[in-house]
């Protein structure tokens, strides 16, 4: 097959090479990828030097990945791809909790904790209690639901970013809801923080004039038998960067008040001293088909 000035022949040859793919879905994905990549190169008149820089950037992104850092997820996040995929696959029943991105720091297994445990093992931040209920979209409580939690500390760092400063498992917990679907734990109010900028993704942000900050939030994954798991956050209402999250993950339904509380009975119930912040957040799951 001859190749014209647009390289159409190369594209057709590359697509033809995929026709023997045994897995139909893999064939569909690769065909779409090749077609869009080739169209992108034609549309932008991609130069050889630019192609080489792109390959070098992707190589550096892979080299920046470690057991506690996933630079490719971070790249996907800042390009909006993670949030787009989440949105395309995030259709929920009416009233179900909206999903959002996993983020690059869910890399270690959260330690199993009892309801009411304190996941802030360092201290120093503003004290906070998070409580809620895991329930089905029809309102039925889900006893025994598993709630995985992870967050940055009051200075905006995750445990995996500060080995030797924070103990492993700080800001993390795996909780089992009680017979009424309830969960609660103690922690600190998390801080807004910059995503890591010392690697290729940071170079990309600087080149495009973007800030690296995420608004303050706590991550959750909730699972219960017979229901579709949800990966989500709660964002601290009134905080910075809610309208300019570096990874585009803020949804209004996930912005929650961390209300200052000075109620002696609640303080005794949760084992904290007054005043403290209290965030109430139900995790509502959709039944599987």
């Amino acid at each position: 097959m001859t190749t014209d000035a647009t390289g159409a022949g190369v594209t057709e040859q590359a697509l033809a090479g995929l026709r023997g793919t045994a897995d139909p879905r893999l064939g569909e994905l690769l065909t779409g990828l090749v077609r869009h990549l080739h169209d992108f190169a034609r549309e932008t008149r991609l130069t050889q030097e630019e192609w080489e820089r792109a390959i070098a950037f992707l190589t550096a992104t892979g080299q920046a990945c470690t057991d506690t850092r996933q630079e490719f997820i971070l790249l996907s996040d800042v390009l909006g791809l993670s949030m787009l995929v989440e949105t395309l696959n995030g259709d929920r029943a009416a009233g179900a909790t909206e999903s959002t991105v996993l983020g690059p720091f869910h890399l270690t297994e959260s330690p199993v904790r009892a309801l009411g445990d304190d996941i802030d093992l360092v201290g120093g931040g503003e004290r906070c209690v998070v409580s809620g209920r895991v329930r089905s979209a029809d309102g039925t409580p889900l006893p025994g639901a598993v709630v995985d939690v992870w967050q940055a500390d009051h200075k905006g760092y995750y445990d995996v970013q500060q080995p030797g400063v924070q103990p492993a498992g700080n800001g993390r917990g795996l909780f089992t809801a009680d017979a009424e679907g309830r969960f609660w734990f103690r922690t600190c109010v998390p801080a807004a923080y910059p995503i890591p900028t010392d690697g290729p993704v940071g170079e990309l942000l600087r080149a495009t004039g973007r800030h690296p900050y995420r608004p303050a939030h706590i991550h959750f994954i909730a699972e219960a038998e017979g229901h579709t798991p949800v990966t989500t956050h709660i964002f601290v209402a009134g905080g910075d960067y809610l309208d300019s999250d570096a990874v585009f993950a803020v949804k209004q339904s996930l912005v929650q008040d961390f209300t200052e509380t000075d109620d002696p009975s609640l303080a005794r119930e949760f084992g904290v001293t007054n005043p403290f912040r209290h965030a109430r957040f139900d995790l509502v799951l959709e039944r599987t088909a």
Side-chain angles (χ1 to χ4, degrees), residues 251-269:
K251 294 182 177 180
Q252 190 57 45
S253 69
L254 304 179
V255 178
Q256 300 291 318
D257 290 325
F258 282 59
T259 306
E260 185 169 321
T261 303
D262 197 10
D263 183 329
S265 63
L266 274 180
R268 285 193 300 272
E269 178 183 347

Side-chain angles (χ1 to χ4, degrees), residues 150-219:
W150 68 105
Q151 67 169 85
D153 69 5
H154 67 288
K155 295 182 179 179
Y157 293 99
Y158 288 84
D159 58 343
V160 295
Q161 293 178 287
Q162 293 188 308
V165 177
Q166 294 188 44
N170 187 51
R172 301 178 189 268
L174 192 66
F175 296 92
T176 300
D178 70 8
E180 297 179 37
R182 297 176 301 179
F183 67 92
W184 65 95
F185 58 91
R186 292 171 291 160
T187 185
C188 64
V189 177
Y193 63 85
I195 61 175
T197 58
D198 57 341
V201 171
E203 294 177 12
L204 178 64
L205 291 179
R206 288 187 287 274
T208 53
R210 289 175 53 190
H211 76 69
Y213 283 89
R214 297 219 60 208
H217 60 275
I218 300 175
H219 295 264

Side-chain angles (χ1 to χ4, degrees), residues 15-147:
L15 292 173
L18 298 172
R19 289 175 189 153
T21 305
D23 184 329
R25 178 58 175 166
L26 177 61
E28 180 183 11
L29 292 172
L30 290 175
T31 296
L33 177 64
V34 168
R35 182 177 290 116
H36 285 292
L37 280 175
H38 286 220
D39 285 346
F40 165 79
R42 276 188 283 269
E43 178 185 338
T44 62
R45 299 295 299 177
L46 190 68
T47 68
Q48 187 76 23
E49 180 184 6
E50 290 163 343
W51 175 82
E52 290 173 356
R53 288 177 62 189
I55 295 297
F57 176 82
L58 293 175
T59 300
T61 299
Q63 291 169 338
C65 295
T66 69
D67 290 342
T68 58
R69 176 169 179 160
Q70 231 305 343
E71 194 81 359
F72 268 113
I73 289 180
L74 197 62
L75 177 60
S76 175
D77 289 347
V78 302
L79 293 177
L81 180 61
S82 301
M83 197 61 213
L84 175 59
V85 172
E86 190 66 48
T87 300
L88 292 173
N89 292 276
D91 289 340
R92 304 280 171 178
T97 298
E98 290 192 277
S99 59
T100 189
V101 296
L102 179 68
F105 293 116
H106 189 257
L107 295 174
T108 63
E109 185 174 332
S110 295
V112 175
R113 302 195 191 276
L115 293 174
D117 275 358
D118 194 339
I119 66 172
D120 176 16
L121 309 180
V122 176
E126 189 172 11
R127 302 308 300 151
C128 174
V129 172
V130 179
S131 65
R133 189 184 302 268
V134 186
R135 55 184 175 85
S136 188
D138 64 4
T140 305
L142 297 174
V146 176
V147 180

